[in-house]
Amino acid sequence: MKKTIPVVGMACSACSAHVEKQLNSLEGVSSAAVSLAGRSALVEYDPEQISLEQMKEAVNSIGFDLVIEEDRSAVEIERQAFRLLRRKMICSWVFALLVMAISMGWVRLSRGSDDVTARNFANQVALLLSLGNMLYCGRQFYVNAWRQLRNRTASMDTLVAMSTLIAFLFSAFNTFFGDSVWGARGIEWHTYFDASVMIITFVLTGRVLEERAKNATADSIRTLMGMQPKTARLVSTSSTSSISSTSSISSSSSTSSSSSTSSAPSAPSASTTDVPISTISYGDLLEVRAGERLPVDGDVWEATSFMTEDGAYVDESMISGEPTPVLKRRGSKVLAGTVLQQGTLRFRARQTGEQTAIARIIRMVQEAQGSKAPVQRVVDKIAMIFVPCVLGLSLLTFLVWWVAGGNASLPHAILSAVAVLVIACPCAMGLATPTALMVGIGKAAEKNILIKDAAALENMRNVDAMVIDKTGTLTIPNRNIDFTRASELPLEERETLKPFAAEAVSMLRERGVEVYMMSGDNDEAARYWAEKAGISHYQSQVKPQDKEDLVCRLQKEGHRVAMVGDGINDSQALAAADVSIAMGQGTDVAMDVAQVTLMGTDLRRIPDAIALSRRTVGMIHQNLFWAFIYNIVCIPLAAGVLRIFGIDFQITPMWASALMACSSVSVVLNSLRLKFMK
């Protein structure tokens, strides 16, 4: 069983890596992929071996939480957490400004007649303000760091907790013992409460901005969810025909559109009641009026409008991508989330809840956004060792400056170590890949391209050969053919080329992709349609095995191959291809095997998907480059390496926290540029 479970409490890539490691260590869990940007875990598990409650308990033990309860909303939990985070950020800025005013001498606090007494009093006030800031605004850093320490793990919270505690404790020591310990030895001493407060303030500010930006990456999911009505209009009748009698018409796709309306049973007189969508059951009779979205999938019982007496037009563009409304008559299938354009429509519920088409699409997009691209797994391994390495570098920085300068350089050694702890940012690395993937996969969903997993999106950019099935994929069979005379008909009367098919082939060739058409039809027909579509390579009279053989041969020649099909006979080749693409109107088998599903008939979505893949992976590489460069450049600057060469420049802890926050936000904002890709 595969399930996407919301995760609460993650702040950096080390957090998501620890949750993922914990879940994967549980018996009964086949695989778990945790997305920091998506704040979710995609878990494949055996319900007979492990329950969701056991997973939750295991994740709770390392300081995080899974939202598995039906009465708990992950969205509401995130909203409450964001409101609390924003409140703490505002409060932290108040503390920070007060401490800065005291530390910088903007406000003089006098208690006594001499400067020493006044300075000590000011330091004591700054100490109390800093302590209040740590206990309220920064409390989660210390709680999480303690939990992780008990489980022998570390994350960004560990770095923040250690750096602020060191700065605070050193300053508190100096406040009470500075004159007796340092002053007696002729060493000038200072307090650094402002650094402790500003670290927390900047980190909280960065997280608020980061959360806002991450929320924007999930717009596509929220848009899809917004297409699901919360209530339905239930029809209550005094003499409703039995469900079994209506089932026969719903399953009969051969119902003639020209059937006389008089032969269909008339709709019973009825009253309607608005009910929660969760209460709808199979076979319930529902009513939808002009401009409303259909609440569940079903079969039309009765449809009337001013344009036609025995039918009504439904806008299915959100499912198929086709702008032309579809005429629905008695027996036609209708889908949740589609919009009735005018008139009134009554239908029997057939698929409800998680079984509706829109729910399956949402689930597919969520799982894809929660899955991991191959490059992300490398980053996760780096994140697991990154924090321990930073702790080691911080200790080394402290020892080098202390040994080199003796006790007189101890304050500088401590500040340098704190700056290294603060400026190191695994968040930027952890967000580099998933934020770009979330935006890319969401953008694809908006264009009616459903991508099952991140690996497919990453692999698609390398496709240079495409095998495409003819009938049903490249062409549409003409309806109402007299099959007894099929062999006598011209080719163009048996089927038609899909709109924009030739344009799609031309676009693929411009992107460096060679197209190979495969057909079970005779050679004359295959050649005719290949020429019509602008395809140079084709094979006729092929069997399913031949399609798979071509895919394998092209792969052996060094090509990255995509297979496009719509039928059961394409499933072998789809499974063998590097990237498998199914048409939305195809069979369930083809769509189950395929990594990518195109809703509608517009084949131009295939080159669009390849272009989106290349842009998304390019964005991932940009993000990773800047995330690594940031750490490579900033950690030595925080450690004070330039001072060795006589350059008096070093990043202080306060500015280190500001730069760290900016690095995470910049990665997310860079990924959001994909939303505006043409």
Side-chain angles (χ1 to χ4, degrees):
M1 182 178 181
K2 187 179 288 188
K3 188 175 181 65
T4 301
I5 309 171
V7 183
V8 177
M10 297 188 299
C12 68
S13 57
C15 299
S16 59
H18 291 317
V19 175
E20 184 173 300
K21 183 180 179 181
Q22 183 77 345
L23 287 171
N24 280 312
S25 68
L26 301 176
E27 187 175 350
V29 174
S30 304
S31 65
V34 178
S35 169
L36 173 61
R39 291 166 284 200
S40 63
L42 178 59
V43 185
E44 189 170 355
Y45 67 101
D46 183 355
E48 294 183 358
Q49 293 188 51
I50 188 169
S51 66
L52 292 175
E53 288 75 16
Q54 289 172 311
M55 292 186 215
K56 179 184 177 73
E57 186 179 346
V59 171
N60 285 346
S61 69
I62 59 171
F64 305 96
D65 190 21
L66 298 182
V67 182
I68 62 172
E69 300 85 357
E70 290 186 4
D71 59 344
R72 290 180 73 200
S73 166
V75 174
E76 187 55 36
I77 290 172
E78 288 169 4
R79 284 176 182 164
Q80 291 176 359
F82 180 76
R83 286 194 289 267
L84 178 61
L85 180 64
R86 187 173 55 189
R87 187 160 61 245
K88 287 185 175 182
M89 177 199 73
I90 294 170
C91 186
S92 189
W93 272 109
V94 173
F95 278 119
L97 291 174
L98 290 173
V99 173
M100 290 289 289
I102 295 170
S103 301
M104 298 295 184
W106 302 338
V107 175
R108 288 192 62 84
L109 299 177
S110 59
R111 187 183 181 186
S113 56
D114 59 275
D115 290 341
V116 174
T117 303
R119 183 180 67 172
N120 287 340
F121 179 62
N123 284 336
Q124 289 168 14
V125 172
L127 184 152
L128 292 174
L129 290 171
S130 300
L131 184 61
N133 186 60
M134 293 168 68
L135 292 177
Y136 175 68
C137 303
R139 181 176 180 274
Q140 73 265 31
F141 299 126
Y142 308 106
V143 172
N144 292 341
W146 173 247
R147 285 176 178 170
Q148 290 156 13
L149 179 64
R150 287 168 53 194
N151 288 277
R152 299 180 182 178
T153 60
S155 70
M156 189 66 205
D157 288 339
T158 309
L159 300 182
V160 174
M162 286 192 64
S163 59
T164 53
L165 275 174
I166 291 170
F168 176 81
L169 292 175
F170 183 62
S171 300
F173 177 85
N174 285 350
T175 297
F176 296 106
F177 306 107
D179 286 327
S180 59
V181 175
W182 309 116
R185 294 175 172 80
I187 300 173
E188 186 179 0
W189 60 272
H190 301 278
T191 57
Y192 305 98
F193 294 116
D194 54 343
S196 174
V197 173
M198 289 307 298
I199 289 170
I200 292 174
T201 303
F202 276 128
V203 172
L204 291 175
T205 303
R207 288 193 177 176
V208 167
L209 296 174
E210 188 181 302
E211 287 300 310
R212 286 190 175 217
K214 281 196 290 188
N215 284 336
T217 66
D219 279 346
S220 58
I221 284 291
R222 282 194 292 271
T223 301
L224 287 170
M225 287 181 170
M227 294 177 178
Q228 293 180 295
K230 300 294 186 292
T231 61
R233 188 175 294 110
L234 180 66
V235 179
S236 303
T237 65
S238 56
S239 57
T240 306
S241 302
S242 67
I243 293 173
S244 59
S245 66
T246 62
S247 300
S248 60
I249 63 157
S250 68
S251 60
S252 175
S253 59
S254 62
T255 300
S256 172
S257 62
S258 62
S259 299
S260 170
T261 56
S262 62
S263 63
S266 59
S269 60
S271 61
T272 60
T273 308
D274 288 346
V275 297
I277 195 171
S278 59
T279 64
I280 298 302
S281 303
Y282 176 87
D284 283 348
L285 185 62
L286 307 174
E287 183 179 279
V288 180
R289 297 167 189 169
E292 295 178 345
R293 291 188 183 275
L294 277 72
V296 297
D297 295 357
D299 303 316
V300 175
W301 174 264
E302 179 189 31
T304 57
S305 69
F306 68 87
M307 295 181 66
T308 176
E309 294 182 357
D310 64 338
Y313 285 92
V314 175
D315 179 0
E316 294 187 337
S317 58
M318 53 82 61
I319 294 287
S320 66
E322 307 296 341
T324 306
V326 180
L327 178 62
K328 299 294 183 180
R329 289 191 169 97
R330 183 178 174 80
S332 299
K333 294 188 182 299
V334 288
L335 302 173
T338 57
V339 181
L340 179 64
Q341 290 214 319
Q342 28 69 28
T344 303
L345 186 147
R346 287 184 178 180
F347 67 101
R348 293 286 183 184
R350 296 305 179 206
Q351 302 289 343
T352 62
E354 294 296 312
Q355 302 306 313
T356 62
I358 185 67
R360 292 198 299 270
I361 290 172
I362 291 172
R363 188 162 60 248
M364 184 183 294
V365 175
Q366 284 178 324
E367 289 180 358
Q369 290 183 332
S371 63
K372 294 198 174 184
V375 67
Q376 178 64 23
R377 301 193 181 279
V378 177
V379 175
D380 285 347
K381 290 179 180 178
I382 295 173
M384 287 291 288
I385 63 171
F386 183 82
V387 174
C389 287
V390 170
L391 292 172
L393 284 172
S394 176
L395 179 61
L396 180 64
T397 300
F398 170 76
L399 292 174
V400 167
W401 285 116
W402 189 25
V403 170
N407 287 337
S409 66
L410 185 60
H412 174 69
I414 290 175
L415 282 184
S416 299
V418 168
V420 170
L421 286 175
V422 174
I423 206 163
C425 187
C427 301
M429 289 188 297
L431 291 168
T433 301
T435 50
L437 286 174
M438 283 192 71
V439 178
I441 290 170
K443 180 80 172 178
E446 290 174 9
K447 300 298 181 184
N448 296 100
I449 304 166
L450 302 182
I451 299 173
K452 272 190 179 178
D453 57 55
L457 185 66
E458 185 173 350
N459 292 336
M460 208 181 303
R461 81 189 196 280
N462 295 320
V463 167
D464 59 1
M466 184 167 292
V467 179
I468 188 167
D469 173 58
K470 178 178 77 71
T471 307
T473 304
L474 195 65
T475 65
I476 307 171
N478 291 338
R479 297 181 179 180
N480 303 321
I481 292 178
D482 182 357
F483 287 97
T484 61
R485 298 180 54 251
S487 60
E488 302 171 12
L489 295 173
L491 298 164
E492 60 271 19
E493 288 190 21
R494 298 185 207 174
E495 51 191 328
T496 57
L497 194 67
K498 281 187 176 178
F500 312 115
E503 185 180 346
V505 171
S506 176
M507 292 169 68
L508 285 167
R509 190 173 290 115
E510 289 175 5
R511 285 166 171 73
V513 180
E514 194 61 47
V515 181
Y516 299 78
M517 190 191 82
M518 302 290 280
S519 173
D521 214 335
N522 61 55
D523 189 69
E524 182 184 4
R527 181 173 64 255
Y528 176 84
W529 291 114
E531 291 174 355
K532 276 279 191 181
I535 298 173
S536 304
H537 309 282
Y538 69 91
Q539 287 185 31
S540 60
Q541 299 178 325
V542 299
K543 295 179 174 60
Q545 186 61 49
D546 297 324
K547 297 178 183 180
E548 182 184 359
D549 290 343
L550 175 61
V551 169
C552 294
R553 178 170 64 80
L554 291 170
Q555 288 172 329
K556 287 179 181 177
E557 292 174 1
H559 295 286
R560 293 296 180 95
V561 185
M563 171 68 197
V564 188
D566 72 324
I568 295 174
N569 60 342
D570 300 317
S571 57
Q572 283 180 247
L574 287 168
D578 296 294
V579 177
S580 48
I581 304 172
M583 306 305 294
Q585 285 81 15
T587 64
D588 289 341
V589 174
M591 287 188 282
D592 285 343
V593 172
Q595 298 166 306
V596 180
T597 300
L598 304 182
M599 307 304 292
T601 60
D602 193 343
L603 293 173
R604 292 177 299 178
R605 294 194 181 102
I606 299 175
D608 285 347
I610 292 173
L612 182 63
S613 167
R614 291 174 179 174
R615 185 72 69 88
T616 302
V617 174
M619 190 66 72
I620 290 171
H621 291 164
Q622 283 181 31
N623 287 345
L624 288 173
F625 172 80
W626 289 113
F628 280 106
I629 285 295
Y630 162 83
N631 282 292
I632 290 171
V633 171
C634 289
I635 289 177
L637 290 178
V641 168
L642 291 182
R643 290 180 179 272
I644 298 174
F645 303 99
I647 301 173
D648 188 20
F649 177 81
Q650 186 173 0
I651 298 176
T652 64
M654 184 177 71
W655 287 111
S657 58
L659 287 170
M660 184 273 291
C662 288
S663 69
S664 299
V665 175
S666 64
V667 163
V668 181
L669 293 177
N670 190 45
S671 297
L672 286 173
R673 292 195 300 119
L674 278 171
K675 291 172 70 73
F676 308 103
M677 169 185 164
K678 297 294 184 183

